Amino acid sequence: MAEEYIRLIFGLKIKQIRTERDLSLFGLSKLSGLSKSYLNEIEKGKKYPKTDKIIKLAETLEVPYDHLVSLKLDKNLAPIGEILQSGILDEIPLELFGIQQSDLIDIIANAPSKVNAFISTIIEIAQHYNMSREGFYLASLRSYQEAHNNFFKELEDKVIKFTNTYQLDLNGKITSAELEEILEEEYGYTINKSGIPNEEELDNLRSVFIPSSKTLLLSDRVDEAQRTFIYAKELGYLYLQITERPYTFSWIRYDNFEEVLHNFYASYFAGALIIPRNHLKDHLKKLFTTSQFSEKTFHRIMKMYNASPESFYQRLTNILPKDFGMQNVFFLRFTHKLGVNKFNLVKELHITHQQQPHANEINEHYCRRWMAIKTLQRAANKDLDYAFNIQISDYADTDQQYLVFTSATRDPFKTSYYRSIGIGFLISPALEKKIEFVHDTKIPKVKVGVTCESCSLEDCEVRMAPPKRLLAKEKYKKTASLVEDMVKRYSKL
């Protein structure tokens, strides 16, 4: 067991017993003969006393010596013990959110029993949903992105410096050949474009980097846009001087949060390099000032860059909140296997607030009227390499409407798999001033829900399950009403 954990548990016990006896640190100091500063260091988990001092504390606090040195905690401190022993505080990137671990432990230790019960509940929920370590890391990263509205100026500035250093044109379409030359000539890379064997278990791998020989292995199935992104990401690691990183893309596992964060930094660098901010911003301004939506113009802008639809949509989540002041934005990525009536939401991002379309972890059916799912179904059922659509999603039981763009593509790495990428904007008076075509009557407006199980829409032609949550709510209301009637009737007797 870690020495730090033992110190923390001992300190928490001393503090708990002292406060239960209404003793201040000053009072315990006078009774025990130990200095106030030394006792403070003990309670904060910074020092562990020698045996003679533990004996003195046990006598002063009138508790057995064995109780003090035991790692067993009573019910009030048990949640803290669970958190400390799990190592979860070492995994959470607290510094990203401006929190010191010692301060958090102190807050938890001083919390009333009801708060500790809440902490236990959160731990139990995480265990119940089998939240993986990687899942926790990715949730932390998503919170970090959302807290910054997914815009990182220091990374944008680094990209501009990089392009100046290597004389890359931010007004043109950067090619993989340009980036490959920098990797080979400047950084000594060896690139093998067919280096990943065609094994089923390796289907999801785009690239593998071998640091000892500076060799970058690629799958022979990556296209020009994917290759460009892989090279740009490698240059991101190098230019940002990142050493702690995953060596596979897509990742197999993350050993710590630093790898997750650095992977994000390199990916952001790549997106900003391939899709320059100012260039994209200028063309989006022209698109948004038209009264009717032009799919042709939208795709013309997308094709200006050597980027996949996913990279383009991801870049929109950086640019639109920052440069156009568009708040309440969501990004969703779904996957789907042909012939299987299931759609998996594998990536999401919410800017400013949690939006209506979001992941659910209780195996409910996402609304089949969502643009993301309809476009995905169309691509899969018609065997299309690419499909696109736009709609205004009008959420049932709320006054919220979203303007949603979605593109769907075939997954080149998995047979019979398709994926869709969508971005949506909550329609508000502010958005109406920024996007003129939001009132284009040719854009269909569709009533949608979140999941079938929570949706009140009647006669829905694509409903996959009855609205059990609403039915349960209605049953509860009826039961409560009948009980209230009984109480009133018998109160008059």
Side-chain angles (χ1 to χ4, degrees):
M1 190 136 332
E3 185 181 327
E4 183 184 16
Y5 173 71
I6 295 170
R7 288 200 311 270
L8 285 167
I9 293 299
F10 185 84
L12 288 170
K13 279 192 170 185
I14 294 295
K15 185 171 185 176
Q16 183 189 38
I17 297 166
R18 173 178 66 76
T19 53
E20 284 175 353
R21 284 161 176 60
D22 290 326
L23 276 173
S24 65
L25 274 172
F26 180 83
L28 181 57
S29 174
K30 287 193 71 174
L31 288 172
S32 65
L34 302 174
S35 73
K36 180 183 170 183
S37 60
Y38 181 63
L39 290 170
N40 188 45
E41 296 277 280
I42 290 172
E43 289 192 358
K44 287 184 178 295
K46 294 180 179 178
K47 289 187 178 177
Y48 192 87
K50 292 182 178 178
T51 303
D52 60 326
K53 291 184 172 61
I54 296 176
I55 292 171
K56 185 65 178 174
L57 284 168
E59 291 173 351
T60 304
L61 295 170
E62 299 177 347
V63 293
Y65 173 92
D66 289 346
H67 174 71
L68 282 187
V69 298
S70 167
L71 294 175
K72 189 175 180 181
L73 295 167
D74 68 18
K75 63 181 181 180
N76 288 334
L77 289 178
I80 305 171
E82 285 185 58
I83 290 173
L84 294 175
Q85 197 165 21
S86 70
I88 198 169
L89 292 183
D90 295 322
E91 312 246 347
I92 301 173
L94 294 171
E95 68 282 355
L96 284 183
F97 305 103
I99 301 171
Q100 295 295 317
Q101 188 178 116
S102 57
D103 293 337
L104 185 60
I105 291 170
D106 199 43
I107 291 168
I108 297 171
N110 287 318
S113 58
K114 288 181 181 178
V115 176
N116 280 324
F118 175 72
I119 294 166
S120 294
T121 303
I122 296 299
I123 292 170
E124 189 174 333
I125 289 170
Q127 291 171 339
H128 179 71
Y129 286 110
N130 194 27
M131 188 173 187
S132 67
R133 186 173 163 189
E134 286 86 358
F136 186 83
Y137 288 158
L138 293 172
S140 297
L141 174 64
R142 188 167 63 246
S143 297
Y144 176 59
Q145 290 176 259
E146 291 168 355
H148 289 81
N149 285 339
N150 203 30
F151 183 84
F152 296 85
K153 187 176 184 301
E154 61 276 18
L155 294 176
E156 300 279 349
D157 292 343
K158 288 278 189 182
V159 167
I160 292 172
K161 288 180 180 178
F162 176 84
T163 56
N164 289 335
T165 299
Y166 292 102
Q167 289 298 291
L168 294 170
D169 184 5
L170 286 180
N171 293 316
K173 183 183 283 190
I174 291 175
T175 66
S176 66
E178 292 177 272
L179 303 185
E180 182 177 325
E181 184 180 16
I182 298 171
L183 283 171
E184 291 177 336
E185 295 296 326
E186 292 290 299
Y187 293 100
Y189 268 48
T190 299
I191 297 173
N192 185 337
K193 293 178 183 175
S194 301
I196 298 178
N198 289 320
E199 302 285 348
E200 184 180 348
E201 292 78 8
L202 303 177
D203 274 355
N204 204 38
L205 283 182
R206 276 77 158 165
S207 67
V208 177
F209 178 61
I210 315 297
S212 58
S213 61
K214 291 188 178 180
T215 301
L216 183 63
L217 308 177
L218 299 182
S219 166
D220 58 11
R221 285 174 290 171
V222 298
D223 60 21
E224 168 63 10
Q226 292 165 336
R227 188 179 301 112
T228 303
F229 182 82
I230 291 167
Y231 291 167
K233 192 172 177 182
E234 285 298 320
L235 288 166
Y237 286 128
L238 294 164
Y239 195 73
L240 298 173
Q241 298 181 345
I242 291 171
T243 55
E244 196 163 10
R245 50 162 289 188
Y247 292 114
T248 63
F249 176 60
S250 301
W251 61 273
I252 297 173
R253 70 173 190 178
Y254 289 117
D255 291 324
N256 54 60
F257 183 76
E258 290 301 306
E259 289 187 1
V260 178
L261 184 62
H262 292 161
N263 178 67
F264 165 69
Y265 285 159
S267 297
Y268 190 105
F269 182 97
L273 176 61
I274 297 167
I275 308 175
R277 175 186 174 191
N278 290 329
H279 190 266
L280 175 60
K281 184 169 61 174
D282 291 342
H283 286 89
L284 288 175
K285 281 180 182 176
K286 295 175 184 177
L287 174 69
F288 294 154
T289 53
T290 58
S291 58
Q292 290 187 318
F293 173 71
S294 170
E295 182 179 335
K296 184 178 179 180
T297 302
F298 179 82
H299 283 100
R300 181 178 57 79
I301 295 172
M302 187 187 291
K303 289 174 182 177
M304 287 178 177
Y305 310 104
N306 197 2
S308 67
E310 180 167 358
S311 293
F312 182 77
Y313 279 77
Q314 285 270 21
R315 190 65 173 136
L316 291 178
T317 68
N318 308 139
I319 303 298
L320 296 179
K322 175 63 179 178
D323 292 315
F324 291 83
M326 292 184 186
Q327 305 300 307
N328 299 305
V329 179
F330 68 80
F331 169 91
L332 303 179
R333 180 175 184 264
F334 275 91
T335 61
H336 169 63
K337 185 177 182 181
L338 186 63
V340 177
N341 197 11
K342 186 175 181 181
F343 299 86
N344 298 311
L345 180 51
V346 295
K347 198 171 188 178
E348 65 175 322
L349 186 70
H350 298 266
I351 307 297
T352 310
H353 301 293
Q354 178 86 355
Q355 306 304 319
Q356 283 285 346
H358 55 80
N360 91 86
E361 300 295 336
I362 49 178
N363 209 28
E364 292 187 353
H365 298 79
Y366 293 111
C367 178
R368 280 0 187 209
R369 294 184 177 189
W370 278 5
M371 193 78 270
I373 290 179
K374 289 196 296 185
T375 309
L376 195 52
Q377 284 178 313
R378 183 157 64 91
N381 295 339
K382 294 188 176 181
D383 195 26
L384 303 175
D385 290 328
Y386 179 83
F388 171 83
N389 221 326
I390 181 173
Q391 78 176 28
I392 292 174
S393 294
D394 184 3
Y395 277 80
D397 306 316
T398 75
D399 58 355
Q400 293 184 327
Q401 296 181 349
Y402 291 84
L403 176 65
V404 184
F405 302 80
T406 302
S407 292
T409 62
R410 189 194 309 275
D411 190 329
F413 296 92
K414 288 185 176 180
T415 304
S416 301
Y417 275 83
Y418 292 79
R419 54 199 179 186
S420 70
I421 308 97
I423 188 169
F425 312 91
L426 180 65
I427 297 176
S428 65
L431 185 76
E432 289 168 346
K433 292 177 183 177
K434 295 180 174 76
I435 302 180
E436 291 190 20
F437 60 73
V438 76
H439 294 299
D440 183 354
T441 55
K442 291 182 180 178
I443 299 175
K445 184 183 290 186
V446 181
K447 276 283 185 185
V448 301
V450 177
T451 64
C452 293
E453 288 80 354
S454 63
C455 180
S456 65
L457 290 174
E458 296 180 1
D459 302 321
C460 176
E461 73 284 359
V462 289
R463 179 179 285 282
M464 301 302 299
K468 64 178 183 181
R469 277 206 270 161
L470 290 181
L471 294 173
K473 190 176 180 180
E474 287 300 316
K475 183 179 179 182
Y476 170 80
K477 283 173 65 177
K478 189 172 181 180
T479 301
S481 177
L482 290 171
V483 169
E484 188 177 347
D485 289 343
M486 281 191 290
V487 170
K488 286 179 180 178
R489 185 166 67 249
Y490 285 98
S491 294
K492 295 176 182 178
L493 297 178

